[in-house]
Structures are given as structure tokens and as C-alpha cells.
Amino acid sequence: MNQKRVFLKNAVFMTLGSVVLRFSGLWFRSCICSWIGASGVGVYQLIFSIFSLGITACTSGIGLAVTRMVAEGKGSRRYLRGCLCFALAMSFAAGAVLLAVSDFAACRLIGAPEAAAPLRLLAPGLPFIAVCACLKGYFFANRNIIVPMVGELWEQVATIGISYLLLTRTSLPELESLMIGNTLGEVAACAYVAAAFLLYVRRHGFAQEDGTKTRVLHNILHIAGPMLVGSFLRSSLFSAENLLIPAGLRKYGAGGTAALAQYGVMQGMVMPVIYFPMSFVSSVAMLLIPEIAEAAARGKRGTVRYSAEHAFRTTLMFGFLISTGMIVFADEIGRIFFGNEQAGNILRIMAPIVPLMYLDNVVDNMLKGLDQQMYSLKYNFSDSMMRVALISALIPVYGIRAYLAILFFSEIYNASLSISRLLKVTELKVDILGWIVFPAVSGALLYYVLILLKKAVSFFI
């Protein structure tokens, strides 16, 4: 009972923190749009598409490795030191590569020479990101989500505050100001989490060695290795995908600035709005990883099935209701946050796939807790390969409409494979009425209620 109470407390706190993070991020994104315009947002997104390769190299799998090992009783000083050394080595290597290829990436891949300096300014933040990933994994395994969440909030505050000061009080180019703010925000977050970790282990200590001469690196690579390789390949494909989109739009007939603007609207405006409500479910999904890992390790298959069934039911209900709200208020969201009508139109088109996107995110986290990350990575990799091929072939012919169709097809493909694997592993039977029909009907009823309310408000105004 006490463990359940701790889980619920952590879920509430993490959800509230995630909402604040996503909302402040969405607000900051709207400010960025007003500062650098839609085409500038396109360049900004492409810079982070390349930088994400460095983040993947030094964090992918390492946080999960720490969480899994600590949850399984392997949270000794030796194991944690090994994880930190592994993450730092990867971060220094990734930072060196990013510095070396910044000019080439800016000129040849992004098509904007002014992006070289921002890429170089992001590289020093990678070691701090790597350390944070390890320490956050340790806190998650110990059911302490307050420190990681406060760390992320502090990072957001520092990033926004420093970026704003640089943009308004200095003559630095906008993109360089934003990247300096991002890097210093990572430093601030790492300093806080590291200080909290030192205080935590001074009070609680490390786990005792199990007495066996297990190889630390072998255990790390068993968990983090497949995720690192798979995630890096997928991240590479994702970056290639993002770079191919504006290139394809230019071939379709859009000018260079117009192509970057269309890409900026899609990736810099619409997708953050879609992902914002996901904070309500992704935080709980993250907390499910150690819970499911522990239950599976102890052979509590009933607990695993109950957790999976509850996740399906609540996530789909939430997804259908959010999808309905996006359909009804798409124009208002695009106008209020970004002053862009196209953003509202694209948001309305994308809204029907929202329930499946949210469920896919939750299912991926549950698969990680069940030591099924290899299957998840295989599905994600094949999905990314397919998307790159379709983007290369279709966007130059059909433009942005092709990209929207590809997103729909890709999400259905990926989610179907992940859901099938989870159902097989947990031996859970599909409840069509409770999982799909009831949430869909609830969404439809909400649609008519919101339409009536919207008409009533417009009539009185």
C-alpha cells in the first residue's frame, strides 16, 4: 500500500511538472517564432535535428541502464561510476565530432552557413547532458522523481532567462543567443542534480556489492548497447528525414525561405502543440519502467498485466478527448500561440492520430521495463527507414500533403508492431469495447458539446 501511495504521489508531481515544462516550452516556442519568424524556426529545428545525434550518442540507454540496474539491486558505487564514465566518454566523442563537422553540416546539410556557430555552441553541453541522464536514472529507480523534475524545471528557467537576456541586451545573432542559453541551461541543471545526488547518497548510501565478480561494462552494454546502437541509427534517420523535408519542398516548387517556413510550421509549431498534452501520460509511463521491471523480475505477471491494461484504457480515453479538443480549437491555437493560420489547419489534420501517438509512447516505455527494448528498437528503425524512403520519393511530387500522409501511415505501422509485442509478452487480451469504442464515443460526444459551446459563446460575443 505504501509503495502504491509513493507511485501515485510521484505520478501526480511528475505530471504537474511535465505540464509546466511543456507549457513554458510552448510559450517560449511562440516567442521564438515572433523573434526569428517561420523560416528561422525551420533553421532552429534543423540545428537541433543534427544536435540530437550527439544527445543520442551520450544518453540513449544509459539512463535506462542505471534505472534497471538500481531497480534490480545493482546500484553500487562501482556500477554507477561505470555508467558515468561510459556516458562521459561518449559525450566527449560526440562533442568532438560535432565541432569538426559544424561547417559542413551548416552549409551542405542545413543550407544555412549561419547555423555553423550555433552548432559549435551546443557541443559543450553534451557532457552535462550525459551526467544528468545517469543521475536522473538513479533517482527514478529509487522512486524519487522530485529531483529530476526540479532539475528540468530549473533548466527550463535558466534556458529561457539567459536566452531572453542575450536576445534583448546583446547584439549577438538570435540563433547564437538561443544556443548559448540552451547550453548554460544544461550546465545549471547538471549542477543542481549532481549536488542533490551527493546529498542523497551521503544520507542513504550506495547499495552493497552483490559479491559476484560481474563485469560492469558488460551489464551496461547489455541494457544500453542495443538501445544506443538502435537509437543512434534511428536518430540518424530522423535527422536525415528532417533534412530531406525542406529539400523535398524546394523540389516541389517552394523557394528556400518558403520551404524552411513550411518545415518550421510543421515541426516548430504543430508538433509541440500535439506533444504538449502527452506530458500527462508520458510522465506516468516513465514511472512504469522501474515498477514493471521490478514486478517482472519477481514473477508478478498479474501486476504486469494489470498495469498494461490500465495504461491502455486511460491513455486511449485521454487521447480521444485531446484529439477532439484539437479538432475544435485548432484555428484558435494556431492564431493565439503562433499567429499562423497554416499551423491551425495542419493541427486539425493531425489531430485524429493523436490517441495512437500517445499510446505508442506509453507502450514503448512498458516494453523497456519488460526488457523488450530490442523489439522496440527494431520497430522504430524499420519505421524510420520507411519514412526516409517515402519522404525522398513523395514530397518532391506532392509537397507537404505527402508528409502528412506519411506521418499517419508511419504512426499506425509503428504502434501496431509495439502493441502486438506488448500484448504477446503480457498475455493480455484486447478489450475493444473498453479500450476503443467507449473512448471514441466519449470523444464524439465531447465534440458536439464543444461545438455547441463555441457557437453559444460566439453568439453572445
Side-chain angles (χ1 to χ4, degrees), residues 130 278 305 311 374:
M278 193 186 290
R305 278 195 295 271
M374 275 298 295

Side-chain angles (χ1 to χ4, degrees), residues 103-124:
D103 289 317
F104 172 82
C107 297
R108 297 294 185 88
L109 301 180
I110 298 177
E114 67 273 15
L119 281 170
R120 288 192 289 269
L121 290 169
L122 288 172

Side-chain angles (χ1 to χ4, degrees), residues 39-79:
S39 60
V41 172
V43 177
Y44 177 86
Q45 288 295 129
L46 291 174
I47 289 172
F48 273 96
S49 293
I50 294 174
F51 181 57
S52 67
L53 291 173
I55 296 176
T56 300
C58 64
T59 65
S60 184
I62 193 64
L64 175 64
V66 174
T67 299
R68 283 270 305 277
M69 288 193 293
V70 174
E72 293 169 2
K74 301 174 182 177
S76 67
R77 186 191 301 270
R78 184 165 64 100
Y79 276 98

Side-chain angles (χ1 to χ4, degrees), residues 72-277:
E72 293 169 2
K74 301 174 182 177
S76 67
R77 186 191 301 270
R78 184 165 64 100
Y79 276 98
L80 191 62
R81 186 189 299 120
C83 290
L84 284 169
C85 290
F86 178 82
L88 282 171
M90 295 299 297
S91 69
F92 283 119
V97 172
L98 186 61
L99 289 172
V101 304
S102 57
D103 289 317
F104 172 82
C107 297
R108 297 294 185 88
L109 301 180
I110 298 177
E114 67 273 15
L119 281 170
R120 288 192 289 269
L121 290 169
L122 288 172
L126 288 173
F128 300 96
I129 295 173
V131 171
C132 259
C134 291
L135 300 184
K136 287 177 181 178
Y138 184 88
F139 281 111
F140 278 127
N142 284 287
R143 273 73 170 181
N144 184 326
I145 56 89
I146 295 177
V147 170
M149 184 54 62
V150 172
E152 291 186 25
L153 290 170
W154 172 231
E155 176 191 336
Q156 188 86 298
V157 170
T159 299
I160 293 174
I162 295 170
S163 298
Y164 179 77
L165 288 175
L166 293 174
L167 285 164
T168 57
R169 303 294 178 87
T170 70
S171 58
L172 285 171
E174 289 89 349
L175 287 173
E176 292 184 26
S177 298
L178 291 170
M179 301 314 162
I180 292 173
N182 185 84
T183 298
L184 293 180
E186 299 290 355
V187 174
C190 183
Y192 166 76
V193 175
F197 170 76
L198 293 175
L199 291 174
Y200 186 88
V201 296
R202 180 178 297 177
R203 178 180 299 177
H204 300 281
F206 290 95
Q208 296 296 318
E209 293 284 351
D210 55 11
T212 61
K213 295 183 178 180
T214 54
R215 292 173 294 172
V216 175
L217 184 60
H218 178 269
N219 282 325
I220 294 172
L221 292 177
H222 171 71
I223 300 172
M227 284 201 68
L228 175 60
V229 174
S231 294
F232 188 79
L233 289 174
R234 193 187 182 213
S235 185
S236 300
L237 290 170
F238 180 73
S239 298
E241 171 189 326
N242 285 329
L243 294 168
L244 285 169
I245 293 169
L249 291 173
R250 283 193 288 268
K251 291 179 181 179
Y252 178 67
T257 302
L260 286 171
Q262 288 185 34
Y263 172 77
V265 168
M266 185 69 205
Q267 294 294 336
M269 301 181 190
V270 175
M271 298 311 291
V273 172
I274 289 177
Y275 288 133
F276 167 63

Side-chain angles (χ1 to χ4, degrees), residues 412-428:
I412 293 170
Y413 168 80
N414 196 325
S416 299
L417 292 174
S418 298
I419 292 169
S420 297
R421 183 63 191 173
L422 183 65
L423 293 175
K424 181 178 180 180
V425 171
T426 60
E427 300 177 353
L428 185 65

